Amino acid sequence: MTSTLGRNSRLPTNQDSTDPEQFRILLGTAARVPAVTMALLVTVVVTTLVAASSDLTGVYAATAGAWLGLHQVTLTIDGTALGVLPLLPTAVLVWLSARSCASAADAMVLHSGYALDGRDAARITAATLAGPLVVTVTALVVIQDASSVLPVSMPDPAQSLAWVTGLYLLSSLLGVGSRMWRPLCNRYGVPEWLVDSVRPATRAVLGMFAMGGLLTVVGMLWSWQSVGELLARGENWMGVLGLLIISILYLPNVMIGAAAVLAGSTVEFGEVRLSLFEASGGDLPALPVLAAIPPGPAPSFWPVALAVPATIGALLGRFVAKRNLEAQARGEYVSSSDGALTVLAASAEAGVVTALATWAAGGRLGFFGVVGGNWWLAGLLMFAWSGLLGIITAQLLLWREGKLAAAEAEAALAAEAEESAEPDAAEDGSDEDGDSGEDSAAGELEEPKALEAAPAGDAESVDAESVDAEDEDDDTEDTQAEVVDAEVVDDEESESKPAAKDIEEPDVVDAEIDDEADDGDLAKGTRNTSD
């Protein structure tokens, strides 16, 4: 597998031309999402007409109207304006288009081997807009032709093209921007605190909408009897299924309205007004999902729900503080004002997104008039809750962590000081021992000097004593030697004496024998004499 590292520095030879592979990628980006969407719409329209036992005369007009309604274009049918359109299919369409743009960007990079630049991003955006705009113009022509036969009015072309352009620009921004927004921010020097604000803002908005959905589910469970009665108006299973599908499609609209109520804003549905401080009943369309709207009046404990946006703002601040502390732990420079600026930027982004979503979820609905939440108030309150509680929480956490870090640093310095003091004390002890040893050695060495420095008489006496001691030692050694020699000599003499006796005893015996012989001779002579 060939590595593509380092290829960004080498520019292509011809940037203005589009090779066949790039043309194929751009053509697929332009046609894929509109073709799949139109195929699904035709299937749904034909299935609905067949299920309703209707002829297929208005299939083209119905398909064109469904395409425009999918893009939030206000439709007028039989004199009734339908401006409140379901957001769920529109959100799915934007998501699919964003994925298509991201895939096109990846394919362009893989084919060319270069990083995605502004020219490629412009080509992908143009291809993303081209296909849907062509289909929109065709749908307007079809509806204008069918308006003479069917009870449908021609929509505003400018509004239609504006909605389609805005939605696909959003999808291109999400798809292509997800691949190159970081490099662009680094290239143009966007502040880091502004870059870091995108993620907490997204978390805050999604958290607020999730709590709105939870409130909607709780309201429907609380009014389960009303939901059952509304479903019973479907008469047969086809009618009940249709009411369920429509309720599911409008569920995001109701969730966004509930989120606006939680933020402190007001939602209007004809004569019905709903907020945390008031609730007035009135006529509503026979849609099961609208059973979540309480009839009124507002209980006294409803304002407690303001803790929801306050908690989301506190969590936003906690997230920002955590990211700043992690950046500091990695050794990155983080100024004291970066946390507050990040919280303010995230709160502003969350407020803008909340306002736009609340505005898109509402509109005009026939004789009910304006339906939806107060979009500018919802956005302002979202910014206020997130900004105020977020800054307080972030600053408190940063201050606490700063105090803890300072305490830990002081403890570490104290521990280091103690550790450094212990070797110093050991060195001092060894120095003292060395000094005492040196003193004793010096004393021992100085004793001869003291002796030398003594008076002469003392020296003579010392010399005499030493000489006497030496003589005594010599005499002792000589005496011991003499004693040893004497013992050895005595042993030798004792050993030699028996030998001498042995040697001398024959002489004695011989002498005795001789004496006896002499005596015998004398006796014989006597006898002879006597004789």
Side-chain angles (χ1 to χ4, degrees), residues 25-40:
I25 294 171
L26 296 176
L27 183 62
T29 304
R32 185 180 298 111
V33 174
V36 174
T37 304
M38 287 300 297
L40 290 175

Side-chain angles (χ1 to χ4, degrees), residues 289-497:
V289 71
L290 297 179
I293 300 176
S300 59
F301 64 87
W302 276 12
V304 178
L306 290 174
V308 172
T311 304
I312 290 176
L315 291 176
L316 186 147
R318 178 179 177 272
F319 181 80
V320 171
K322 182 180 178 182
R323 293 294 296 271
N324 286 353
L325 292 173
E326 290 176 353
Q328 291 178 355
R330 292 193 299 267
E332 301 177 3
Y333 173 74
V334 179
S335 65
S336 58
S337 61
D338 283 352
L341 291 175
T342 304
V343 171
L344 288 176
S347 302
E349 294 165 7
V352 170
V353 173
T354 301
L356 291 176
T358 306
W359 172 72
R364 298 192 64 86
L365 184 60
F367 67 93
F368 289 100
V370 178
V371 173
N374 191 339
W375 60 270
W376 65 266
L377 183 59
L380 183 61
L381 290 172
M382 185 66 184
F383 168 74
W385 284 114
S386 302
L388 180 62
L389 274 300
I391 288 179
I392 293 175
T393 305
Q395 295 302 318
L396 285 177
L397 289 177
L398 291 175
W399 174 79
R400 188 193 69 174
E401 292 297 330
K403 296 289 287 183
L404 292 176
E408 291 178 358
E410 292 179 359
L413 290 175
E416 290 178 0
E418 291 179 358
E419 291 177 358
S420 61
E422 290 178 357
D424 293 340
E427 291 177 1
D428 294 339
S430 62
D431 293 340
E432 292 177 358
D433 296 338
D435 293 339
S436 61
E438 290 177 359
D439 293 340
S440 60
E444 292 176 357
L445 293 175
E446 288 174 358
E447 285 179 358
K449 294 181 181 178
L451 293 174
E452 291 175 1
D458 296 337
E460 291 176 357
S461 62
V462 171
D463 292 335
E465 291 176 358
S466 61
V467 169
D468 294 338
E470 291 177 356
D471 293 338
E472 290 177 358
D473 293 338
D474 294 336
D475 295 338
T476 304
E477 291 178 358
D478 294 338
T479 304
Q480 291 177 354
E482 291 176 357
V483 171
V484 172
D485 294 336
E487 290 178 355
V488 173
V489 171
D490 293 338
D491 292 336
E492 291 177 355
E493 290 178 353
S494 61
E495 291 177 357
S496 60
K497 283 179 181 181

Side-chain angles (χ1 to χ4, degrees), residues 183-314:
L184 285 177
C185 291
N186 296 331
R187 178 179 178 182
Y188 292 104
V190 178
E192 191 66 25
W193 56 265
L194 186 58
V195 176
D196 292 339
S197 65
V198 175
R199 189 172 179 183
T202 304
R203 292 166 64 98
V205 171
L206 293 179
M208 200 67 187
F209 290 165
M211 295 307 297
L214 180 61
L215 182 61
T216 302
V217 173
V218 171
M220 292 180 66
L221 293 176
W222 187 264
S223 305
W224 182 249
Q225 264 188 339
S226 301
V227 173
E229 293 175 359
L230 292 174
L231 288 174
R233 295 185 181 184
E235 296 182 356
N236 52 27
W237 69 271
M238 285 294 297
V240 172
L241 182 61
L243 289 173
L244 283 175
I245 292 175
I246 294 174
S247 296
I248 293 172
L249 295 179
Y250 274 101
L251 185 60
N253 301 60
V254 180
M255 290 171 55
I256 293 173
V261 171
L262 286 175
S265 182
T266 304
V267 172
E268 297 181 359
F269 207 116
E271 297 178 356
V272 177
R273 292 178 60 86
L274 180 65
S275 70
L276 294 178
F277 307 97
E278 63 173 338
S280 59
D283 295 333
L284 293 172
L287 200 60
V289 71
L290 297 179
I293 300 176
S300 59
F301 64 87
W302 276 12
V304 178
L306 290 174
V308 172
T311 304
I312 290 176

